[in-house]
Amino acid sequence: MAAAASLVMPKKMPLPAGLPREWYENHNRRLKAMRLAISLLDTGTYDAKRATNRKIRTMAVRVGIHRPSNLTCRMVRAFIVANAG
């Protein structure tokens, strides 16, 4: 039997200090949207038109992420469109 390959996760770097709060909120929103977009793509939702707010929020519950806002849902669809192009 072949030995299982182990993944080594990169060490997380701390966020830069001293930036406006809006920067941190946008950064975390982008990360959340990216995680949701990846989850939707993994389940076969390749079309942004099919990624409704309801579907995105249902996926968030399944993945264990807090309920996304309307803005985050728009970002998820934007990531899916960017992936298709």
Side-chain angles (χ1 to χ4, degrees):
M1 246 187 207
S6 63
L7 274 175
V8 178
M9 297 301 291
K11 187 176 179 182
K12 287 189 176 183
M13 300 293 293
L15 293 175
L19 295 173
R21 180 174 178 82
E22 182 180 302
W23 185 91
Y24 298 104
E25 290 172 355
N26 287 334
H27 175 75
N28 289 330
R29 187 183 309 273
R30 283 190 305 268
L31 291 177
K32 183 181 205 176
M34 193 175 304
R35 273 183 264 144
L36 287 169
I38 290 168
S39 297
L40 286 167
L41 290 169
D42 287 344
T43 59
T45 305
Y46 301 111
D47 186 16
K49 291 178 185 176
R50 292 183 177 220
T52 62
N53 287 358
R54 183 180 211 163
K55 191 170 202 170
I56 293 168
R57 290 180 176 134
T58 302
M59 181 57 69
V61 170
R62 290 170 71 190
V63 176
I65 300 174
H66 287 283
R67 184 178 187 272
S69 66
N70 290 337
L71 180 59
T72 305
C73 290
R74 278 195 302 260
M75 284 180 128
V76 170
R77 285 189 285 277
F79 279 127
I80 292 173
V81 168
N83 182 48

